C-alpha cells in the first residue's frame, strides 16, 4: 500500500510537473502552429482573391488590347491609303517632270546637232573656199593680184586718213617704251649729248669707243652696288661724273667715258634703266659709225635678215639668250652660222648685243637694232610678210602708201611665208595689218556658230 501510495504520489508529482511546465509550453507551441496555419490560410484566401482580380484584369486588358489593335489596324489601313495616294501623286509629278525634261533635252540635243551640222558645213565651206583660193593663187599672176589689191586698199585708207600714233617717229623712242618718263628723258638726253660731243669723229674711233663702252656696261651689270650709287644722289651729278672719270679715265676711250658720265648725271626712275639706256646708246654708237661710213642701209638690211632668222629658229634664239653661258661661246655660235654674210658693223652690233643680253630675248634685241638702224636713216621699218616674192614695183608702191598712212618714210623689209596663201601681213611698230588670205579664212571660220 505504501508502495502504491508512493507511486501515486510520484505519478501525481510528475503530472503536476508536466502540467505546470510542459503543458503550457505545448499549448503555446500548438497555438503558434495554429496561428501560423491560420495566417497561411488567410494568405491563401487573399492570394486566391488576388488571382481572381488578376484574371479579371487580364481579361479586361486582353479586351482593351483587342480594341486598340483593331483601332491601330484601321488607322494603318487609312495611313497606307494616304501614303499610296501621295506616292501616286508624286509619281505623276515625277513622270511629268521627266517627260518635260526629256522634251527639253531632246530639243537641246536637236539644237546642238543643228548647230554642229551648221558649223561642220560652214567649216567644210571655208575649207572648200580655201582650197579653191589656194588653187587659184597657185598662178603667180593671181598671187600678185592679191598683193596689188591689198596695196589698193591701203592706198584708199591713206587718202584723208589720220597719221598713226602707234609707231615711234624717230630713234629717240625705240627701246625706251618699258621705261617711265623720267628714264626715257634721261636716255634721250644721253643720246643728244653723244651726238653733240662726237661730231667729226671717225667710224674707227666710234667703233673703238663702242668696244670700251661694252666692257664698262658689262662691269656695271656685275656691280649692282656701283650701279645703284650712280643712280642715287641726284643732287650731286658733278660728283658722280667725277667718280666715273676717276674709275675709267685712261682705261677706256674718252668717248665711252663721256657717255657713261652723261648717263650718271641724269635722273633714272629705276637703277636698271641706266643699263638699258647704255646698251641702247652703245648700239647707236656703232650705227652712227656705219652711217658715217655710208653703210647704214646695208646694216639695216642685215639686221633685219638676222632678226627674221632668229624668229624662225626659236632654239637658236634661246641658245643666244641663255646668259648663263659664256658670251664668247654664244657669239661664236652666231658668228659661225652667219660667217661672211654680214659686214663688220653688223657683226660688231650683234657681238656686243649678245654679250650684254640680260634677260631680253635675242630676237627682240636684234629686231630693236634693225628698227634703230632704220630710224637712223629717218625711216620706220615695215615688216611685210607675203606668200611670194614681191616685185620691186610692189615694194616701192607699198612703201609709198605706208609713208602716206604713217606720215614718215617707211623702209619695207619683206619675208616670204607661203602659209599666208595670199595678200600681205604688215607690221609697223606695234601695229599689225592682217590683210592676208589665211587670216581672213581663219576669221571666217571663227564667226561660224559653235
Amino acid at each position: 500500500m505504501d508502495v502504491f501510495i508512493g507511486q501515486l504520489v510520484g505519478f501525481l508529482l510528475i503530472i503536476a510537473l508536466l502540467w505546470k511546465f510542459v503543458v503550457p509550453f505545448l499549448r503555446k507551441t500548438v497555438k503558434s502552429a495554429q496561428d501560423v496555419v491560420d495566417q497561411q490560410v488567410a494568405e491563401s484566401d487573399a492570394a486566391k482573391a488576388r488571382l481572381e482580380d488578376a484574371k479579371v484584369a487580364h481579361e479586361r486588358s486582353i479586351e482593351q488590347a483587342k480594341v486598340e489593335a483593331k483601332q491601330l489596324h484601321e488607322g494603318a489601313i487609312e495611313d497606307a491609303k494616304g501614303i499610296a495616294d501621295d506616292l501616286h501623286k508624286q509619281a505623276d509629278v515625277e513622270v511629268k517632270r521627266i517627260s518635260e525634261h526629256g522634251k527639253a533635252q531632246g530639243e537641246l540635243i536637236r539644237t546642238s546637232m543643228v548647230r554642229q551640222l551648221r558649223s561642220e558645213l560652214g567649216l567644210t565651206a571655208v575649207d572648200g573656199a580655201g582650197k579653191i583660193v589656194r588653187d587659184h593663187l597657185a598662178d603667180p599672176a593671181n598671187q600678185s593680184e592679191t598683193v596689188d589689191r591689198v596695196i589698193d586698199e591701203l592706198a584708199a585708207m591713206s587718202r584723208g586718213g589720220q597719221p598713226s600714233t602707234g609707231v615711234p617717229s624717230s630713234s629717240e623712242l625705240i627701246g625706251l617704251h618699258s621705261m617711265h618718263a623720267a628714264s626715257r628723258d634721261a636716255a634721250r638726253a644721253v643720246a643728244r649729248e653723244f651726238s653733240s660731243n662726237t661730231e667729226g669723229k671717225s667710224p674707227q674711233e666710234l667703233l673703238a669707243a663702242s668696244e670700251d663702252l661694252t666692257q664698262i656696261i658689262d662691269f656695271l651689270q656685275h656691280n649692282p652696288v656701283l650701279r645703284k650709287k650712280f643712280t642715287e644722289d641726284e643732287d650731286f651729278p658733278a660728283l658722280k661724273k667725277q667718280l666715273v672719270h676717276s674709275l675709267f679715265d685712261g682705261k677706256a676711250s674718252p668717248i665711252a667715258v663721256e657717255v657713261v658720265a652723261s648717263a650718271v648725271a641724269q635722273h633714272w626712275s629705276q637703277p636698271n634703266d641706266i643699263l638699258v639706256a647704255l646698251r641702247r646708246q652703245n648700239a647707236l654708237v656703232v650705227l652712227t659709225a656705219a652711217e658715217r661710213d655710208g653703210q647704214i642701209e646695208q646694216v639695216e638690211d642685215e639686221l633685219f635678215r638676222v632678226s627674221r632668222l632668229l624668229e624662225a629658229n626659236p632654239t637658236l634664239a634661246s641658245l643666244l639668250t641663255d646668259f648663263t653661258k659664256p658670251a664668247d661661246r654664244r657669239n661664236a655660235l652666231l658668228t659661225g652660222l652667219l660667217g661672211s654674210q654680214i659686214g663688220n658693223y653688223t657683226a660688231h652690233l650683234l657681238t656686243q648685243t649678245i654679250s650684254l643680253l640680260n634677260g631680253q630675248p635675242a630676237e627682240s634685241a636684234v629686231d630693236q637694232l634693225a628698227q634703230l638702224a632704220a630710224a637712223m636713216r629717218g625711216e620706220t621699218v615695215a615688216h611685210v610678210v607675203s606668200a611670194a616674192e614681191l616685185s620691186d614695183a610692189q615694194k616701192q608702191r607699198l612703201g609709198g602708201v605706208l609713208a602716206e598712212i604713217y606720215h614718215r618714210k617707211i623702209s619695207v623689209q619683206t619675208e616670204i611665208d607661203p602659209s599666208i596663201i595670199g595678200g600681205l601681213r604688215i607690221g609697223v611698230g606695234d601695229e599689225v595689218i592682217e590683210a592676208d588670205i589665211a587670216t581672213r579664212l581663219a576669221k571666217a571660220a571663227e564667226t561660224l556658230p559653235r
Side-chain angles (χ1 to χ4, degrees):
M1 187 67 174
D2 292 333
V3 174
F4 174 76
I5 293 172
Q7 290 178 344
L8 180 61
V9 172
F11 177 75
L12 292 173
L13 182 59
I14 292 171
I15 291 298
L17 290 173
L18 289 173
W19 183 262
K20 185 175 182 178
F21 294 104
V22 175
V23 170
F25 176 75
L26 290 175
R27 285 178 179 173
K28 186 177 180 181
T29 301
V30 170
K31 189 174 186 315
S32 297
Q34 187 175 1
D35 292 341
V36 170
V37 170
D38 292 341
Q39 184 178 359
Q40 290 178 347
V41 170
E43 290 177 354
S44 176
D45 293 339
K48 288 180 180 180
R50 288 196 299 273
L51 179 60
E52 290 297 328
D53 293 339
K55 287 181 179 180
V56 173
H58 176 66
E59 291 175 355
R60 190 182 300 114
S61 298
I62 290 174
E63 291 298 327
Q64 186 176 357
K66 288 180 179 179
V67 173
E68 292 178 353
K70 184 178 180 181
Q71 292 175 348
L72 288 174
H73 178 69
E74 293 174 352
I77 292 174
E78 292 297 325
D79 291 342
K81 289 181 179 179
I83 292 172
D85 291 340
D86 291 341
L87 289 176
H88 283 304
K89 292 179 181 178
Q90 291 178 7
D92 292 340
V93 172
E94 187 67 15
V95 168
K96 184 177 180 181
R97 186 190 67 80
I98 292 174
S99 177
E100 292 176 352
H101 179 72
K103 290 179 181 178
Q105 191 70 18
E107 183 65 23
L108 182 63
I109 293 173
R110 187 188 71 81
T111 303
S112 177
M113 291 179 66
V114 170
R115 185 184 295 111
Q116 183 179 0
L117 181 60
R118 287 177 178 174
S119 177
E120 290 176 354
L121 289 174
L123 290 174
T124 301
V126 171
D127 291 341
K131 186 176 184 303
I132 294 173
V133 170
R134 287 184 179 88
D135 292 341
H136 177 72
L137 296 182
D139 184 347
N142 295 332
Q143 176 67 249
S144 181
E145 285 182 6
T146 66
V147 174
D148 292 334
R149 190 177 302 114
V150 171
I151 297 175
D152 290 339
E153 293 174 357
L154 292 174
M157 289 172 52
S158 68
R159 288 191 287 270
Q162 295 296 322
S164 172
T165 59
V167 183
S169 60
S170 72
S171 61
E172 285 191 346
L173 296 180
I174 297 174
L176 304 180
H177 297 291
S178 62
M179 295 182 179
H180 293 297
S183 291
R184 286 200 300 269
D185 292 342
R188 294 162 68 184
V190 172
R192 286 193 297 269
E193 287 190 29
F194 165 78
S195 298
S196 175
N197 295 335
T198 57
E199 290 183 4
K201 298 295 182 181
S202 68
Q204 291 73 24
E205 290 177 296
L206 294 177
L207 281 181
S210 174
E211 292 178 357
D212 291 342
L213 186 55
T214 300
Q215 297 298 321
I216 294 175
I217 296 172
D218 183 65
F219 175 74
L220 292 178
Q221 285 187 165
H222 291 87
N223 288 272
V225 175
L226 181 60
R227 186 168 69 247
K228 185 177 180 182
K229 181 67 176 177
F230 280 159
T231 54
E232 292 179 344
D233 299 330
E234 299 172 7
D235 296 331
F236 304 99
L239 292 178
K240 291 191 290 184
K241 294 178 72 172
Q242 184 179 351
L243 176 59
V244 169
H245 284 287
S246 66
L247 286 172
F248 302 115
D249 277 350
K251 302 174 184 177
S253 163
I255 297 175
V257 175
E258 282 301 322
V259 169
V260 178
S262 173
V264 300
Q266 308 300 325
H267 169 62
W268 302 96
S269 302
Q270 301 289 338
N272 282 338
D273 286 350
I274 191 173
L275 289 179
V276 176
L278 286 174
R279 287 195 292 265
R280 174 181 176 276
Q281 186 59 46
N282 199 16
L284 289 175
V285 172
V286 180
L287 290 172
T288 301
E291 182 183 35
R292 293 179 183 179
D293 201 17
Q295 298 189 39
I296 187 66
E297 185 174 357
Q298 175 187 338
V299 170
E300 177 196 345
D301 183 65
E302 291 172 349
L303 288 172
F304 178 80
R305 286 190 285 109
V306 174
S307 174
R308 299 285 77 77
L309 172 67
L310 295 181
E311 287 184 1
N313 295 273
T315 301
L316 174 61
S318 178
L319 290 173
L320 296 176
T321 304
D322 186 5
F323 60 89
T324 61
K325 299 294 188 297
D328 292 344
R329 288 177 55 186
R330 289 182 282 138
N331 280 318
L333 173 64
L334 187 59
T335 302
L337 182 65
L338 298 176
S340 60
Q341 300 179 49
I342 57 175
N344 181 47
Y345 291 107
T346 303
H348 196 101
L349 279 167
L350 293 175
T351 298
Q352 73 178 28
T353 299
I354 298 301
S355 298
L356 297 176
L357 281 178
N358 191 23
Q360 184 184 17
E363 65 274 21
S364 174
V366 176
D367 181 67
Q368 189 178 105
L369 291 176
Q371 292 187 46
L372 281 172
M376 290 286 290
R377 300 173 56 215
E379 298 179 347
T380 295
V381 176
H383 303 297
V384 180
V385 182
S386 60
E389 183 70 33
L390 300 184
S391 67
D392 291 339
Q394 287 174 326
K395 292 179 184 178
Q396 184 175 359
R397 185 178 174 220
L398 178 60
V401 170
L402 292 175
E404 291 180 6
I405 293 175
Y406 292 101
H407 292 247
R408 71 201 64 165
K409 191 175 180 181
I410 298 293
S411 173
V412 176
Q413 301 288 354
T414 60
E415 177 185 355
I416 297 176
D417 182 2
S419 67
I420 71 169
I421 305 175
L424 297 173
R425 186 178 298 160
I426 305 168
V428 183
D430 296 331
E431 295 184 356
V432 178
I433 302 173
E434 294 179 323
D436 57 286
I437 303 298
T439 298
R440 291 177 178 178
L441 288 174
K443 289 182 177 179
E446 289 176 359
T447 59
L448 295 173
R450 300 293 180 181

